[in-house]
Amino acid sequence: MNHMLKIALLQIAPCNTLAENLEKGIRACQKAKECGADIALFPEMWSCGYRIYDRPVHEWQAEAIPVHSDFIAAFGRLAAELDMAVGITLLEAHENAPRNTLVLFDRSGRQKLVYAKVHTCDFGAECNLTPGEDFYVTSLDTSCGEVNVGAMICYDREFPESARILMLKGAELILVPNACPMEINRLSQLRARAFENMTAIATCNYPDTVPDCNGASSVFDGVAYLPEPGPSRDTCILQADGREGIYVAELDLNLLRNYRKKEVHGNAYRHPKKYGLLTDTNIREPFIRTDYRE
């Protein structure tokens, strides 16, 4: 069986309407399949193009759509037609306030994962969103066999706990839709999350033609040491420039899985009984900032 999983990052700029984003998104998925992709991933909140910071709250909240909308269903059908998994993102209609959500379809068009961003950016417009409740991992059928896939969204990257929980739930690959400037520090966070969890991380951002974005979509394979004796290596196997385009990385699953069996990171030598402070909700000081929302 082939062990090279091809991941397509759809680093494309959004249009002005839901219908236009549907049409452009379908074309991008078709091009990804032409490139041999097993998985196609969209940037954050593709249904509305993450246009929430430059408009009144009521205006963009009105653009929220259900997970079972025609827009999302179209990508499920497309996944089956193309024999390719699709990670489509949306501003999801929710009972209180919208959610920032990823829906993952497998190559048969089955809905395998619905993940809502847990760490919403409550210091800005995202304070008007409903945060997700948990992190999830699913077994995704691909041409390379079953792959354990989880998801984070943008700001989730800033919290080591996000990727750590996904690793503990068995994730081999974490998909990360994004909408922000991917500068050296944020890229370093992704590199660290992949290294410390021995987990591949694929991030799809908007191109530099989109305000406050700069492309730089990336894939880190999480393998710091090759089987042959030698120094450590950079785990980055793809980093896009700022231009709009479809960027495809090949993730060597055999290399990753063999590495996870032998190396010392991830869950190998943890001491979880000593980490109780991390989940103590009564701790308030010292904090650099205290105007936060739990």
Side-chain angles (χ1 to χ4, degrees):
M1 179 180 292
N2 175 34
H3 59 88
M4 301 299 290
L5 183 73
K6 291 188 176 182
I7 306 166
L9 306 177
L10 309 183
Q11 186 173 288
I12 54 178
C15 305
N16 294 319
T17 68
L18 183 69
E20 289 174 320
N21 286 337
L22 173 61
E23 183 180 348
K24 185 169 184 176
I26 288 173
R27 291 199 307 269
C29 287
Q30 291 168 338
K31 291 178 181 177
K33 181 62 180 181
E34 291 171 4
C35 295
D38 297 296
I39 302 173
L41 178 64
F42 281 86
E44 185 175 6
M45 216 182 283
W46 174 254
S47 66
C48 66
Y50 199 78
R51 292 182 56 237
I52 68 173
Y53 277 94
D54 57 350
R55 296 188 293 161
V57 173
H58 71 274
E59 184 177 306
W60 61 258
Q61 282 189 334
E63 295 178 355
I65 60 174
V67 164
H68 300 294
S69 63
D70 292 341
F71 179 87
I72 297 300
F75 287 99
R77 293 191 298 270
L78 182 65
E81 292 169 10
L82 298 177
D83 191 37
M84 178 185 73
V86 175
I88 179 64
T89 58
L90 69 151
L91 177 63
E92 179 199 351
H94 193 264
E95 56 187 15
N96 297 315
R99 303 199 306 178
N100 184 341
T101 300
L102 164 76
V103 178
L104 180 62
F105 293 101
D106 71 8
R107 61 178 179 154
S108 298
R110 293 173 296 191
Q111 182 179 294
K112 298 291 292 184
L113 183 72
V114 176
Y115 170 69
K117 187 176 186 176
V118 168
H119 298 102
T120 49
C121 299
D122 294 336
F123 47 82
E126 285 195 6
C127 69
N128 298 289
L129 295 174
T130 299
E133 293 295 326
D134 202 353
F135 298 93
Y136 309 103
V137 173
T138 187
S139 181
L140 190 71
D141 177 39
T142 74
S143 64
C144 302
E146 298 289 323
V147 181
N148 292 330
V149 178
M152 307 186 297
I153 296 178
C154 198
Y155 192 51
D156 285 327
R157 166 200 65 246
E158 310 265 344
F159 299 86
E161 296 85 354
S162 307
R164 177 68 27 142
I165 289 171
L166 289 167
M167 179 274 294
L168 291 173
K169 289 186 174 183
E172 299 173 290
L173 169 64
I174 300 174
L175 302 177
V176 188
N178 195 81
C180 71
M182 291 308 298
E183 40 75 61
I184 184 63
N185 297 296
R186 288 170 174 145
L187 288 168
S188 297
Q189 287 175 325
L190 294 168
R191 181 179 274 104
R193 300 294 90 83
F195 172 75
E196 64 201 10
N197 292 297
M198 298 193 291
T199 303
I201 298 182
T203 302
C204 184
N205 196 25
Y206 286 105
D208 58 14
T209 54
V210 175
D212 204 35
C213 291
N214 67 334
S217 298
S218 62
V219 178
F220 295 89
D221 69 4
V223 179
Y225 304 97
L226 294 175
E228 306 81 30
S232 65
R233 62 186 279 272
D234 187 353
T235 62
C236 183
I237 59 172
L238 183 149
Q239 183 174 329
D241 57 23
R243 293 174 294 179
E244 180 167 5
I246 296 170
Y247 297 84
V248 180
E250 289 191 336
L251 176 63
D252 189 330
L253 291 173
N254 282 354
L255 181 68
L256 175 61
R257 287 166 176 167
N258 290 332
Y259 178 78
R260 287 160 67 100
K261 291 176 182 177
K262 300 173 183 177
E263 274 300 336
V264 301
H265 311 296
N267 197 31
Y269 295 99
R270 296 173 67 246
H271 294 275
K273 291 182 180 179
K274 301 177 182 180
Y275 307 153
L277 190 63
L278 293 176
T279 58
D280 188 343
T281 57
N282 294 316
I283 299 297
R284 290 291 182 267
E285 301 290 346
F287 267 89
I288 299 174
R289 286 180 59 171
T290 57
D291 57 334
Y292 63 93
R293 182 177 85 180
E294 287 184 357

